[in-house]
Amino acid sequence: MPTVHELAFVRSGDKGDISNVVVLARDAEAFDTLERGLRPAAISAFLGELVTGPVVVHTLPKLHAFNVVLRGALGGGATTTLRFDETGKSMCAILSRMQVTSDHR
Amino acid sequence: MAGNCRIGAGSGYWGDMIDPAVELIEHGDVRYVCFDLLAELTVALLTRAKMRDPGKGHIPDVETIIRQALPSARRNEVGLVTNGGGANPAAAALAAARVACDAGLSDTRIGVIDGDDLTDRVAEIRATGWKFTHLESGEEDIDRIADRVVAVSAYTGSDAVIEALDGDAHVVIGGRLADSALYCGPLMRHFGWSFDGDDWERIGAALTVGHVLECAGIASGGMSSQWRLSKDPWRLGFPFAEVSEDGSAVVSKVAGTGGVINQWTIKEHLLYEVHDPFNYLLPDGVVDMSAVEVTELGADTVRLTGMSGRARPDTLKVQIGYEDGYIAEGRTMFPWPDALEKADFCEQLVRERIGYLGVTPTELRFDRVGWDALAGPIAPKPAAGLQPNEVELRMVAKCRTRAEGEIARRAMLLPATAGPVGTAFGAPLPLRKVVALWPTLVPRDLVPQRVLVDTAKEIVDAHGA
């Protein structure tokens, strides 16, 4: 099973306690694989206690891109979190280790 | 019919490089260069600075920008637009005017925008029946934090920027102008687009272009998956966009500068810090990226088409900064042998010491830096008996009061003197006061903007009088 890292370029940013991970499929085939496997339930399960809120995935077919929005993702948000990575810039790298399978529903 | 408009990014944050902006002004053939200097928390911090000294509360970079960029901007007829006024645009304008006069440019027209600071208007706005509902948690109003509010500021849009430029301002200085408005305002003025007509798709395009440019070097090779392709990042070129009247744009940078622009750097930034890309709410419109396409035209040159948008919301986003206790942090490093075991020993030492002194932090966290500081609870556990060369223990506590925070801070220094042999320590970190943010909304019509355009000489003279 491929990882997000093998299929896509990624980058994350923050607003308050919300982290968003931009997932850019490297090609059309990778986009198809990600479209089947990059599901909120699978992402929630993978990120476990790191993210406490719901996960939403927005799909942009023309850009072969996904915007993964994670609520309750930064320990309260940049100004109050105890994490070193206050703005969750590494969230993209953490998510990119997730294996993508089309079995998740 | 207006010709294309070329607009460039001058900075993406407080403390950003200034030489790329000067390079754009001198060699980019741009009409405007825009300087975003504010992050989410910045205005609250600047408000505290203004409370201590009424002449402060703006971003000091404004003076650097005027000193280094204004002479060439005036020569090349490039307009400068910034939100570096922060919590005190008038103070920023005075500082900018003084620097302009010193540079022999006392006829520089400076537009100052005020009105986004709602700190003293909370009671008045609540009296209309409006509730500052928390946008993320849904908490209905601010009663719980009302006595701890530091600053309240509304993200404002392009109306006032356009008004200042219509007043022939060479420099526009606002407070919490939305990042995107720094770009959307000049583009709307150039093309004559209006909030009263049917220009919403084109305004959506201008906002999308603004969004791509607003973090400056972060769209041209910085913070990028393309880092291996980023040439000479120590002299990163900042991006500019050449926008057509149909709203499409070509993004590039000055030839010979460092960094890289390709489809990936632009796509990364299109969605950066956006939530719903089909409904991205900004003060000037609702951006819809569903039809956006990104095409590489050549080296460091990318075309953006298909941008669109809808009418602007009736509300503006507001950030309320409020005091929320103190954070104590300590860091200590353990050498081989048994570094991980020493870290466990010291975590217990610090936990027990804080409890022994009767302090209960509201949150307490221990990281093994190099192992789990980033992924936290989902980092894999180290294999039994693993012997790393070194491990850093990062200790962080949030406490309600300064006194409790200080006790926790001192406990975090103990691994050096009450812990295992070989424990290394650096300079102690100071206790930090926490300003938390409460994102909410306010009706747009309760936030009128004021625009004043005067020459640098007039501003300096008025202050002296």
Side-chain angles (χ1 to χ4, degrees):
Chain A
M1 275 183 295
T3 59
V4 172
H5 174 69
E6 288 162 329
L7 298 170
F9 295 118
V10 294
R11 183 206 260 179
S12 47
D14 72 304
K15 271 200 178 108
D17 201 21
I18 301 172
S19 172
N20 82 297
V21 182
V22 184
V23 178
L24 304 173
R26 292 172 190 248
D27 55 36
E29 195 187 337
F31 177 74
D32 290 342
T33 306
L34 286 162
E35 196 173 22
R36 287 195 302 273
L38 197 65
R39 293 175 180 276
I43 295 167
S44 266
F46 178 78
L47 293 175
E49 292 169 46
L50 193 61
V51 172
T52 58
V55 175
V56 174
V57 179
H58 300 282
T59 305
L60 296 102
K62 280 184 186 284
L63 296 174
H64 282 172
F66 305 85
N67 192 30
V68 179
V69 181
L70 311 166
R71 290 177 187 270
L74 299 170
T79 71
T80 62
T81 186
L82 297 193
R83 297 184 195 174
F84 173 79
D85 188 9
E86 297 174 337
T87 56
K89 290 292 187 277
S90 65
M91 188 65 79
C92 60
I94 292 166
L95 183 67
S96 73
R97 296 180 81 172
M98 181 177 129
Q99 291 189 316
V100 180
T101 157
S102 51
D103 298 339
H104 286 288
R105 283 292 179 271
Chain B
M1 200 168 136
N4 291 354
C5 183
R6 211 182 246 210
I7 187 165
S11 69
Y13 59 92
W14 178 355
D16 206 346
M17 297 179 278
I18 179 76
D19 42 301
V22 177
E23 206 146 27
L24 268 176
I25 291 165
E26 292 182 349
H27 306 295
D29 193 22
V30 290
R31 290 286 305 274
Y32 298 98
V33 172
C34 309
F35 299 80
D36 175 28
L37 296 171
L38 303 179
E40 281 194 298
L41 180 64
T42 317
V43 176
L45 300 179
L46 291 169
T47 301
R48 282 216 306 228
K50 183 171 78 169
M51 278 151 53
R52 287 192 295 268
D53 178 349
K56 292 217 162 74
H58 68 282
I59 308 270
D61 292 23
V62 171
E63 284 135 280
T64 313
I65 290 164
I66 298 299
R67 187 173 296 113
Q68 298 200 29
L70 183 67
S72 51
R74 290 293 307 276
R75 268 198 309 280
N76 292 289
E77 296 180 29
V78 177
L80 307 178
V81 184
T82 181
N83 54 14
N88 200 344
L94 177 61
R98 285 180 172 146
V99 175
C101 290
D102 287 348
L105 297 166
S106 61
D107 63 340
T108 300
R109 294 179 62 77
I110 300 176
V112 190
I113 301 168
D114 250 318
D116 56 292
D117 183 353
L118 307 179
T119 311
D120 296 330
R121 296 187 53 209
V122 170
E124 166 209 333
I125 292 168
R126 294 179 84 194
T128 66
W130 183 259
K131 292 187 191 319
F132 289 111
T133 303
H134 193 294
L135 278 177
E136 289 175 30
S137 74
E139 194 168 339
E140 195 186 3
D141 206 352
I142 56 168
D143 301 299
R144 185 167 62 80
I145 61 152
D147 59 343
R148 291 183 278 149
V149 169
V150 177
V152 182
S153 60
Y155 286 77
T156 54
S158 293
D159 313 69
V161 176
I162 296 167
E163 191 181 332
L165 294 172
D166 282 343
D168 294 326
H170 300 108
V171 178
V172 179
I173 299 174
R176 186 56 273 194
L177 280 173
D179 315 358
S180 56
L182 302 173
Y183 296 86
C184 185
L187 289 170
M188 286 182 68
R189 178 174 188 255
H190 177 88
F191 292 113
W193 297 336
S194 153
F195 292 117
D196 302 321
D198 55 358
D199 289 326
W200 294 113
E201 291 187 8
R202 285 171 290 273
I203 291 168
L207 289 168
T208 309
V209 170
H211 175 73
V212 167
L213 297 180
E214 72 196 19
C215 291
I218 294 170
S220 56
M223 207 188 280
S224 180
S225 64
Q226 306 298 297
W227 58 277
R228 282 195 181 89
L229 301 179
S230 180
K231 283 180 290 192
D232 300 355
W234 55 89
R235 52 185 195 91
L236 198 58
F238 284 176
F240 65 77
E242 179 151 340
V243 183
S244 306
E245 191 157 26
D246 65 2
S248 67
V250 175
V251 180
S252 189
K253 63 188 185 68
V254 174
T257 57
V260 59
I261 293 177
N262 62 24
Q263 60 165 319
W264 306 106
T265 70
I266 298 304
K267 288 184 194 170
E268 279 167 353
H269 209 81
L270 258 181
L271 296 170
Y272 182 65
E273 295 181 344
V274 168
H275 298 155
D276 181 348
F278 316 122
N279 282 295
Y280 182 30
L281 272 62
L282 291 166
D284 292 325
V286 178
V287 169
D288 179 356
M289 299 188 190
S290 54
V292 174
E293 295 191 59
V294 173
T295 316
E296 289 181 1
L297 298 184
D300 296 316
T301 308
V302 168
R303 180 191 291 283
L304 275 167
T305 53
M307 297 87 89
S308 191
R310 296 183 295 279
R312 60 184 178 180
D314 294 330
T315 49
L316 297 173
K317 185 172 176 179
V318 167
Q319 282 289 8
I320 300 178
Y322 63 98
E323 292 182 353
D324 193 28
Y326 294 81
I327 291 178
E329 180 169 346
R331 311 186 74 161
T332 189
M333 292 182 72
F334 308 103
W336 179 94
D338 308 319
L340 285 164
E341 194 184 338
K342 290 169 181 167
D344 292 346
F345 182 91
C346 286
E347 173 175 337
Q348 192 190 0
L349 186 167
V350 172
R351 280 185 187 278
E352 295 289 340
R353 178 70 187 172
I354 291 172
Y356 179 67
L357 295 176
V359 170
T360 310
T362 53
E363 277 181 84
L364 187 58
R365 178 186 173 103
F366 293 86
D367 294 321
R368 274 68 173 162
V369 178
W371 192 265
D372 65 1
L374 299 177
I378 68 165
K381 299 288 169 255
L386 185 75
Q387 286 284 356
N389 290 326
E390 61 191 38
V391 164
E392 176 178 337
L393 179 66
R394 177 173 175 271
M395 305 154 271
V396 212
K398 193 187 286 177
C399 298
R400 290 178 193 84
T401 66
R402 180 180 287 277
E404 287 183 321
E406 187 57 25
I407 287 169
R409 192 186 73 83
R410 286 174 187 234
M412 290 168 185
L413 302 175
L414 281 181
T417 53
V421 63
T423 300
F425 60 94
L429 298 169
L431 193 64
R432 314 200 285 272
K433 197 171 188 172
V434 178
V435 177
L437 292 174
W438 183 286
T440 182
L441 299 172
V442 71
R444 174 187 296 278
D445 53 17
L446 293 184
V447 189
Q449 303 290 287
R450 290 179 299 274
V451 181
L452 286 175
V453 184
D454 294 298
T455 65
K457 182 174 188 315
E458 286 164 346
I459 292 170
V460 171
D461 288 350
H463 187 78

